[in-house]
């Protein structure tokens, strides 16, 4: 019996002393010698006879070879924990407390360790550190319950990630620890804890330093063994992680994010050769398109950019968009004609097994989810049932990427191809003439660098406040409503039929409702929706079948479900619609006011949407031809930007009562006092700052939305206010003048706040002004803008 020790603790050792001991297990059998069950008493007697002949087992075991010496006796003792009937199914091990010294384990557990390659393959270092922290806290909670009578529950599960060294796939296992045969030995005087100190501990459940201060770890020793059980939760864990990925902005357009999604699908379906693909549908062009630029995302389209529906056979589009039927091809050699002429190219790429599933957003066909395997029969109808819960999120991600692609195309047409931004078009014309001169002189034409030196940047952003939190809350609300409706239906069903399963199912519904009411955690949504769809809804349909004349009891439940995705989706849809409305409104304001600002003095302008809208402006003498530049134009543009940001804050605040969901916006302006250089990047077809010194400006832009006030947790950006970020005092003085002026005009209101900001990664010395916007100032905005136009 060779013990195995896990040496990877993620850089953190378990702080309590732990000793292997069989004393409590032996005590269990000692009590059983007087059991009323004669067979059990007889077995216990035989075991105790052997134990009496092995005195070394009656005290803490430091030399693990003792287990090998008395292997038969240890095996008999372990029958209290291990059943021969579950040897090949349950993954269970008896281990040294809070260690992984394997004393005894089932065949299933050993096979899993072999599959993993080693204990070390279970976790990466970050996961190990987190689990070691979790185990330490679990030990402290056991001490609290045993010595202070205070019961505190840890709600977070411990999840092990297993990397199969043969297939490269991940599997996830939930750890269940039973400390029945473990005791906590006090090695000194027990510290007295006041009510205030106990509250301090419970308020700092994640702060081990606080616990170690009040309860030193050297006062306690864990002796005995614990039962360590692994339950596979791969499906739930992977589905939760896939959903989290799909909520990210670049989930299918970013190469790394998409590769991560593909790997998660392989783990979910346990197919190491699986390929994931996405094909978007472009309605305006009636064609399927490939996402991802040079790295192709679509299996069906392959190396092409797109497939016209006429080229791919109209019946293919008809099947997906109109009939809404997935296509499952278990053997490409017997594929139907609908996939012509793609069959040959697919088979050349090694595709032998294919699923194409249509995706719909708000009833509109937006694209295909594609799964492919080089092995016939890997993918079938059952595969679709395993992934159906993530299909709506794929539809949202495809719609989002399609919209971004369309926006990019329009911006490219307007700003790059139809006409370069009018302000800098002269520079591109000069470059083109220079290249033509080179060609006329029979020289190799080299594109001149387009650089503008000594230009002043202006940057502002309007973002949705707590967008990720709001999205999570919407999931909770939709889930809670579906649970309540399901309970209501089953309660009515009990009036129609007397089935005990109804009451039991209602009980489980209530347990789910109470659980998520306390806290909705990763995995809950998947578990609850599967329970509703696989257990509750079949019961409802069965009762409907038996009471065909009385289906009114279930009508409300079915009508509440989204017709496309089969779940309650009200709040999430309202969130997406509100987000789009706000971004469209901000974009419209910027487009309209930017035209007027160009009249003041020509400048370069660009905007782009995220969870809000950001815009960049560059102005300076080098950007204009045959015009004189004066810094008064820069000051005028800064004042214009402040007024327009106030208008955006005003307009978005006024929109709140009209939105499906009342989302708030935050607004910031970044002031950069020193001029910099920008260069047109031929590869990206866009302007970017030039030079190492100027890169700091770009870094600040990317990080200031997370900035907090120094010595606090408060974000500098707050709804109804404009935050002005700066580093030079002369810039603050300039904006104070603007604020005084706009307060006098009634556009801004309240006291001007001034703060230092906490250091950001690689950035320090930033400060901020903050002022509230008068949300009743619509007419005043127009008045101020007219004055700016005159200037």
């Amino acid at each position: 019996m060779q013990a195995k020790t896990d040496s990877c603790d993620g850089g953190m050792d378990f702080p309590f002393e732990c000793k292997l001991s069989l004393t409590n297990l032996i005590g269990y059998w000692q009590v059983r010698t007087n059991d009323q069950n004669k067979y059990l008493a007889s077995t216990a007697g035989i075991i105790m006879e052997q134990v009496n002949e092995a005195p070394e087992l009656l005290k803490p075991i430091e030399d693990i070879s003792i287990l090998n010496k008395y292997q038969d006796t240890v095996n008999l003792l372990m029958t209290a924990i291990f059943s021969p009937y579950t040897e090949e199914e349950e993954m269970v091990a008896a281990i040294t407390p809070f260690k992984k010294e394997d004393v005894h384990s089932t065949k299933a557990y050993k096979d899993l360790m072999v599959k993993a390659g080693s204990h070390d393959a279970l976790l990466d270092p970050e996961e190990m550190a987190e689990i070691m922290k979790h185990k330490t806290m679990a030990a402290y909670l056991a001490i609290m319950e045993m010595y202070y009578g205070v019961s505190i529950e840890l709600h977070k599960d411990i999840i092990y990630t297993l990397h199969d060294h043969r297939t490269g796939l991940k599997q996830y296992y939930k750890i269940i620890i039973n400390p029945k045969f473990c005791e906590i030995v006090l090695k000194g005087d027990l510290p007295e804890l006041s009510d205030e100190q106990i509250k301090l501990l419970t308020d700092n459940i994640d702060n081990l330093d606080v616990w170690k201060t009040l309860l030193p770890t050297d006062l306690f020793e864990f002796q005995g063994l614990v039962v360590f059980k692994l339950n596979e939760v791969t499906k739930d864990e992977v589905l939760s992680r896939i959903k989290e990925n799909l909520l990210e902005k670049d989930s299918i357009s970013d190469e790394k994010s998409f590769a991560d999604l593909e790997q998660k699908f392989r783990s979910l379906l346990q197919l190491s050769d699986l390929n994931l693909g996405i094909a978007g549908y472009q309605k305006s062009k009636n064609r399927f398109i490939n996402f991802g630029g040079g790295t192709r995302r679509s299996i069906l389209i392959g190396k092409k950019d797109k497939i016209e529906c006429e080229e791919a056979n109209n019946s293919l589009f008809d099947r997906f968009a109109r009939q809404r039927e997935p296509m499952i091809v278990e053997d490409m050699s017997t594929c139907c004609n609908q996939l012509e002429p793609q069959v040959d190219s697919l088979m050349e790429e090694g595709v032998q097994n294919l699923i194409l599933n249509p995706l719909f957003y708000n009833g509109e066909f937006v694209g295909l989810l594609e799964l492919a395997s080089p092995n016939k029969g890997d993918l079938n109808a059952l595969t679709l049932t395993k992934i159906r819960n993530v299909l709506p999120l794929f539809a949202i991600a495809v719609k989002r990427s399609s919209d971004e692609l369309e926006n990019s195309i329009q911006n490219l047409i307007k700003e790059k191809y139809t006409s370069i931004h009018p302000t800098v078009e002269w520079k591109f014309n000069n470059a083109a003439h220079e290249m033509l001169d080179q060609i006329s002189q029979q020289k190799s034409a080299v594109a001149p660098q387009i650089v503008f030196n000594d230009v002043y940047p202006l940057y502002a952003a309007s973002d949705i406040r707590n967008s990720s939190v709001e999205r999570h809350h919407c999931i909770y609300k939709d889930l809670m409503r579906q649970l309540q409706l399901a309970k209501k239906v089953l309660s009515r069903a009990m009036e129609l039929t007397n089935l005990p399963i109804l009451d039991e199912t209602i009980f489980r519904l209530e347990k789910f409702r109470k659980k998520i009411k306390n806290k909705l955690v990763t995995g809950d949504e998947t578990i609850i929706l599967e329970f509703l769809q696989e257990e509750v809804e079949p019961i409802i349909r069965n009762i409907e079948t038996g009471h065909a004349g009385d289906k009114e009891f279930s009508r409300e439940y079915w009508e509440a479900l989204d017709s496309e995705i089969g779940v309650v989706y009200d709040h999430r849809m309202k969130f997406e619609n509100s987000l789009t409305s706000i971004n469209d409104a901000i974009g419209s304001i910027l487009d309209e006011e930017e035209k007027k600002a160009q009249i003041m003095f020509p400048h370069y302008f660009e905007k782009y949407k995220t969870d809000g809208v950001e815009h960049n402006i560059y102005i300076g003498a080098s950007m204009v031809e045959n015009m004189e530049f004066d810094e008064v134009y820069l000051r005028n543009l800064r004042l214009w930007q402040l007024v327009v940001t106030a208008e955006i804050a005003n307009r978005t605040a006024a929109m709140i009562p009209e939105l499906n969901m009342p989302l708030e916006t935050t607004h910031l302006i970044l002031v950069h006092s020193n001029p910099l250089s920008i260069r047109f990047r031929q590869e990206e077809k866009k302007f970017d700052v030039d030079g190492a010194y100027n890169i700091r400006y770009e870094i600040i832009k990317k990080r200031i939305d997370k900035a907090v006030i120094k010595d606090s947790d408060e974000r500098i950006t707050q709804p109804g206010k404009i935050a002005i970020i700066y580093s030079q005092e002369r810039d603050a003085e300039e904006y104070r003048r603007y604020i005084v002026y706009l307060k006098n005009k009634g556009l801004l209101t309240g006291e001007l706040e001034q703060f230092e900001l906490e250091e950001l990664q690689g950035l320090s010395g930033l400060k901020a002004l903050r002022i509230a916007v008068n949300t009743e100032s619509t007419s005043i905005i127009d008045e101020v803008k007219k004055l700016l136009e005159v200037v």
Side-chain angles (χ1 to χ4, degrees), residues 28 208 272 298 332 334 343 397-398 420 430 437 463 504 561 649 748 760:
Y28 167 87
L208 286 176
S272 58
S298 174
M332 288 295 293
T334 60
V343 173
V398 171
I420 301 297
N430 290 349
D437 288 342
D463 290 320
E504 188 270 347
L561 303 187
L748 303 177
L760 299 170

Side-chain angles (χ1 to χ4, degrees), residues 253 280-282 287-293 305 398-413:
S253 58
Y281 175 68
Q282 198 172 25
R287 64 189 182 189
F288 293 104
I289 57 172
N290 225 329
F291 291 117
D305 294 317
V398 171
K399 174 64 174 174
R400 184 172 60 224
S401 293
S402 295
D403 288 345
E404 289 172 0
L405 178 62
E406 191 64 30
N407 288 338
S408 298
I409 292 171
Q410 294 303 317
N411 289 337
L412 191 63
I413 292 171

